[in-house]
Structure formats: C-alpha cells, structure tokens
Amino acid sequence: MNIQTQVKRRHFLIGSAGTVAAAAVGGPAIAQDASEPLPDYVAWKDPDDFIVHSKQTLETKRAVQGTELITPSNELYIRNNLPAPSDDIVADRDAWEIEIDGVGNPGTVTLGELKKIGVETVVCVLQCSGNGRAFFDHETSGSQWSVGAAGNVVWTGVPVRAVIDAMGGAADGTAFLTGTGGEEIPEGLPPETIQVERSVPKAAMEQAILAWDMNGEPMPLAHGGPLRLVVPGYYGVNNVKYLKRLALTEDESPNKIQQTSYRVRPVGVSGDPSQPSMYEMNVKSWITGPLVDAETGKVQVHGVAMGGVSALEKVEVSIDGGQTWAAAQFLGPDLGPYAWRPFVLITELAEGTHVLASRATNVAGDTQPEKFPPNERGYGNNGWGVHAVDVTVG
Ligand SMILES: Nc1nc2c(c(=O)[nH]1)N[C@H]1C(S)=C(S)[C@@H](COP(=O)(O)O)O[C@H]1N2
Ligand SMILES: [Mo]
C-alpha cells in the first residue's frame, strides 16, 4: 500500500478523539449507545475515555493514552469473552481458592496462603491479540480495535515458579502452564466450547506471576480479581482472569480458545492447533498525539512503544510518512523489558498535512515492518504504515 492510499484510509479511520468508525472498516456497528451508562462491573470507569464496542469490550481512546508511563486502572481497556463473575468473588479475597495441579503435591490453596509464599512486582503491557485489527484491509471478525486494546500495568503477586516449588516442583513430562478462568459456565454448554483456559509453554513460568494487586490496589473484579495469571510479554488472552486452577500439563488445553482460536493463519483458512498460537507479543509503537491537527511551529510528537518480550532499543519518528526518520527521546524511567515506554520527538511542523509515523526496535534487533502480513483473524498488527496518522497544521 502506498502512502496515498494509507492517507485516504486513515481519513476514514481516525476521528477527533482517535476513535474508529467501525462501519468504515467493515466491522460490526457499535453495539452499545455511547450515551448509555457503562455496565455495573465497569461503572467506575468514565465512558468518555473509551470506545464502547460492547458491554464486554471497551477500548481506551488513543488520545487518552497520551504519554502515560502507567495506564491508570480506570483507563485500562476491557475484554471479557464471557460475562464477568458476580462481585461476590471479591467479598473475601483471601478466601479465594485455587487448585494447583501437575506438581509433586497437588492441592488447593487459598489466596491468603499464596501471599505467604512470596511476592514480586512486575510492570508489563497488557494487549489484546486483536489490537490493530481495524487497520487490516481485509474483513475481519472480532472487535475492531485500533490501538486502545493495550495498557501498561503494575502487577503484584507471587511468582509462579515459587508456587510450583512450594507444591513439590513440576511433575515429570509437563510442557505447558495452563490457567483456567473462574467464570460460571452456562448450564447445558460443554465447557470446552467457551471456558477461558489457556496454556503457554512452560518456559513462560520464569516471568509469570499470580497477581492480586493492580496498580497498587486490590485487583478490580473487571480486570480479574481476586487473582489473575499474568504472563509478561504474552498477549492478553494468556493473562487469565479470576484464576481458579493453575496446572503444569503435558498437553495444551483441549478448549476451543486454545485449540482453534488465537491461531495465526492465512486469510480464509480455519484455525487449527498446528498453527502458531498468540503467545509472545511483537515490537510495536504508535503515536498518541497530535492525531488530527496542530499549530504551526514547535510540536511534541508523542506516543508509546513496547519491545514485546525484549527490551526496547530505540524509537524513531517520521513526519513525512516514513521517508525520513529521527530518533525520539524516551520519557520517564525504564520500568523493565516488558513495560511500554512513552516517547517524544520535539520538531517543527510547517503548514500543510503531515503523515506522522513511529517505528520501534528492540534489543533483539526486531523492528516494526511497514506492513504486517494479513491473517484471517487480524492478529498481531504492528505495521508502522497503518498506525501512522495524518495531521493538518495551520
Ligand atoms: N477469565 C478470563 N480471562 C481473560 C479473558 C476472559 O474473557 N476471561 N479475556 C482475555 C482477553 S482476550 C484479554 S485481551 C484480556 C483482557 O484483560 P482486561 O479486560 O483486564 O483488559 O484478558 C484475557 N483473560
Ligand atoms: Mo484479547
């Protein structure tokens, strides 16, 4: 796609608050009227900060992300595949029970007991696999996220490896770490078809934690309280909320969400377990301002960037649609390899329209491509071309 078509396409995509017109990208119409109050479990969030795709799908507006080092909990996106459980489950948090399997001494532990095993804090990006889906040219099913299915979050909890050690170590032959969500499964439905249960390669145990605090406060129900599996560097779906079972397993979960969903394959092909699963995130960045217009003269072009599973090396910004690039400056402290970093380039913009783009590179040497290959479900889009914005000055 050349720059001209990109510019044209983006005119359809980005509104003044960085919102996406779903109809323009062939997505479903906005399911909930923006003037309706948010559902109870997320009523503590401000609807003005979000693009409301449905009661279970809230996207943070691009402009709201700004240069935030940490995403405040009330601004963090929401994605629930099933209705969130009742808030009864956070009434007595320490009494929440988790079954631990695939270890020397399997059994049930309470959250109160987990807190005595160990504690660690990690900052990492939480990002849905489909973030950037709206920017693909082909028709995709699923939420038409632009950039707002992502945030940078501080998680506190016990390292998974400490829990496994305390329970007698990994059982022989196990290859995956499998987490099961605690939602109620509607009567009559086979759990495999809808239960959120994800398996990640056992190696991810090195950085995974069972988190009870988010941004320094008890985990909100909406984000998985009382306990959530957090796998830093891995896509959102692997970060199982309302965790009720953690197991080291020989095989991947038999559930649909593992076997056929979240599989990367060519357009038109169905999902199957032989295809790559949405595990490790890729290097990515996007501009969060200015998005539509700016005054002539000095301007701070800013955004956020993440390295995926490796730390960031650099971010470059272009004000001419990628013909030339300049090094951006990181803002604030480095919060570790899994965190995002806000960046800024102070530059001059003359009157006219400018295509502003950003391109991140991590220490492993991975750089964002101009265009990310299309895939059936529209996963993993980190192409810098489609994430660019055209800004009118004057
Ligand atoms: N139990 C459970 N865990 C879940 C989900 C879910 O529906 N149920 N959704 C997953 C998906 S697809 C994403 S992108 C993230 C969203 O996390 P958030 O709502 O806290 O932003 O949670 C993941 N973990
Ligand atoms: Mo997701």
Side-chain angles (χ1 to χ4, degrees), residues 38 41-42 44-46 49-51 56-61 64-65 68 70-79 124-128 145 147-155 214-215 219-220 222-224 228 241 340:
L38 294 175
Y41 78 109
V42 283
W44 50 283
K45 302 201 181 220
D46 181 348
D49 290 337
F50 296 94
I51 304 159
Q56 290 167 201
T57 316
L58 309 183
E59 170 166 4
T60 311
K61 285 180 183 169
V64 168
Q65 292 172 329
E68 285 175 347
I70 297 295
T71 306
S73 304
N74 59 345
E75 292 177 9
L76 186 63
Y77 81 101
I78 286 281
R79 176 64 195 140
C124 70
V125 173
L126 181 71
Q127 179 184 218
C128 185
W145 308 109
V147 297
N152 197 37
V153 182
V154 185
W155 311 96
M214 187 177 113
N215 292 340
M219 185 82 63
H223 292 293
R228 180 170 196 168
K241 307 198 254 192
W340 81 21

Side-chain angles (χ1 to χ4, degrees), residues 12-246:
F12 286 103
L13 289 172
I14 300 186
S16 58
T19 57
V20 168
V25 291
I30 302 292
Q32 191 182 353
D33 186 331
S35 62
E36 274 182 51
L38 294 175
D40 283 353
Y41 78 109
V42 283
W44 50 283
K45 302 201 181 220
D46 181 348
D48 288 344
D49 290 337
F50 296 94
I51 304 159
V52 180
H53 294 287
S54 78
K55 288 183 164 43
Q56 290 167 201
T57 316
L58 309 183
E59 170 166 4
T60 311
K61 285 180 183 169
R62 192 165 183 162
V64 168
Q65 292 172 329
T67 51
E68 285 175 347
L69 196 55
I70 297 295
T71 306
S73 304
N74 59 345
E75 292 177 9
L76 186 63
Y77 81 101
I78 286 281
R79 176 64 195 140
N80 278 352
N81 294 271
L82 293 168
S86 140
D87 60 7
D88 291 353
I89 71 168
V90 289
D92 182 0
R93 292 167 177 269
D94 284 354
W96 179 256
E97 292 185 336
I98 311 102
E99 199 189 318
I100 313 275
D101 257 326
V103 290
N105 305 306
T108 299
V109 293
T110 63
L111 174 46
E113 287 164 343
L114 281 181
K115 287 180 177 170
K116 294 177 187 156
I117 295 177
V119 65
E120 211 170 75
T121 290
V122 63
V123 181
C124 70
V125 173
L126 181 71
Q127 179 184 218
C128 185
S129 311
N131 200 32
R133 177 182 284 140
F135 298 132
F136 281 108
D137 285 327
H138 67 292
E139 293 246 332
T140 47
S141 61
S143 308
Q144 294 300 308
W145 308 109
S146 55
V147 297
N152 197 37
V153 182
V154 185
W155 311 96
T156 296
V158 61
V160 167
R161 60 188 138 68
V163 177
I164 302 299
D165 287 349
M167 305 288 288
D172 286 346
T174 52
F176 296 93
L177 178 70
T178 298
T180 312
E183 288 105 334
E184 289 216 0
I185 306 299
E187 197 86 27
L189 278 179
E192 314 84 76
T193 58
I194 59 164
Q195 185 186 50
V196 177
E197 183 175 88
R198 283 287 295 178
S199 303
V200 296
K202 201 172 152 185
M205 205 166 85
E206 287 315 306
Q207 74 260 33
I209 68 169
L210 303 184
W212 51 77
D213 266 23
M214 187 177 113
N215 292 340
E217 287 175 313
M219 185 82 63
L221 176 75
H223 292 293
L227 190 70
R228 180 170 196 168
L229 172 61
V230 173
V231 188
Y234 278 54
Y235 282 102
V237 68
N238 304 293
N239 295 259
V240 177
K241 307 198 254 192
Y242 331 113
L243 190 75
K244 69 166 191 191
R245 180 174 182 263
L246 183 75

Side-chain angles (χ1 to χ4, degrees), residues 12 63 214 276 294 325 351 364 387:
F12 286 103
M214 187 177 113
W325 297 90
E351 224 167 271
H387 283 82

